[in-house]
Amino acid sequence: MSDGTETTPDTGSDDGRPDPSTPPHRLVRGTVAIDDLHAFLARLDGIADETGAVVQAFDADLVVSDAHLRAAVRLAARAIARGEAVARDPGVEIMLYAAGRRQIDRALALGVSEGEQRAVVLVADFGGVDGADRPAADLDAAERAVERLTAPPAAAEFDRERVTEFYGVSDRELAATASDLADVVRERVALLDVEK
């Protein structure tokens, strides 16, 4: 169900400070049936409290690839380490980058909602990120706990129509580039860092 732990070496920043490595993280894909969104999010918060992990759920129809979320984790960690984060919570900062938006209320639309849907739940260890003020996380325990909340996903593909609408990607923009939709979305994630 997960893609394993991902890490990326330090690459440095323009101001000479080293960038933090991409925090270890895992992605749990599955189908969730949410009757009460607040109760579901409270369960994720409980997993975070018990394991020390950052736990953030995404609507799988709007996640174009594992690399999409990996980039968001890396950029959120860098923003936190540099003291440039918009959100106090690392999970929300990750969501901002994944959504390619600086407005928290708009970025939250990338999350899950009530009803049955495919989800991607990220569990990450921000314990080693300066400024995150997080303990070291037990990712194995966090992953197991999240897996108990999900059923196997029905499909692995994102919803192209919803992605183009959410990220504002036009047919004209796609025709003008050699990149595919997933590449354009990852570019939006990367450009958010430049737009600060």
Side-chain angles (χ1 to χ4, degrees):
M1 277 236 206
S2 77
D3 67 345
T5 302
E6 300 288 339
T7 58
T8 303
D10 294 340
T11 57
S13 63
D14 294 339
D15 61 8
R17 291 181 292 178
D19 285 339
S21 296
T22 301
H25 62 282
R26 299 178 186 171
L27 302 176
V28 179
R29 295 181 179 278
T31 301
V32 293
I34 302 173
D35 295 326
D36 180 337
L37 181 59
H38 295 295
F40 180 79
L41 296 177
R43 290 181 78 182
L44 295 184
D45 287 344
I47 293 168
D49 291 342
E50 292 170 13
T51 64
V54 172
V55 182
Q56 187 66 55
F58 297 87
D59 180 337
D61 286 347
L62 297 173
V63 175
V64 297
S65 66
D66 290 355
H68 174 191
L69 293 183
R70 189 169 36 255
V73 169
R74 179 178 56 80
L75 292 168
R78 183 169 74 180
I80 291 166
R82 291 180 175 183
E84 299 172 350
V86 170
R88 285 179 282 190
D89 181 285
V92 175
E93 190 71 15
I94 292 166
M95 186 164 278
L96 289 169
Y97 276 100
R101 296 184 164 111
R102 298 306 303 161
Q103 301 86 13
I104 292 173
D105 59 335
R106 294 189 67 208
L108 291 177
L110 188 60
V112 293
S113 56
E114 291 184 353
E116 185 170 320
Q117 67 211 268
R118 293 181 320 108
V120 180
V121 182
L122 168 83
V123 295
D125 182 355
F126 269 62
V129 177
D130 288 341
D133 195 29
R134 302 285 301 203
D138 183 344
L139 291 184
D140 290 335
E143 181 179 28
R144 284 191 304 270
V146 169
E147 285 176 341
R148 286 192 290 273
L149 298 178
T150 63
E157 285 296 312
F158 59 88
D159 184 319
R160 184 177 182 83
E161 184 176 323
R162 288 188 61 209
V163 167
T164 56
E165 181 181 332
F166 183 83
Y167 290 96
V169 180
S170 68
D171 290 338
R172 186 175 181 184
E173 180 180 2
L174 284 172
T177 181
S179 301
D180 64 9
L181 180 58
D183 291 332
V184 172
V185 169
R186 285 191 298 273
E187 182 179 307
R188 295 266 200 291
V189 171
L191 284 175
L192 184 63
D193 209 39
V194 174
E195 294 171 357
K196 284 196 254 180

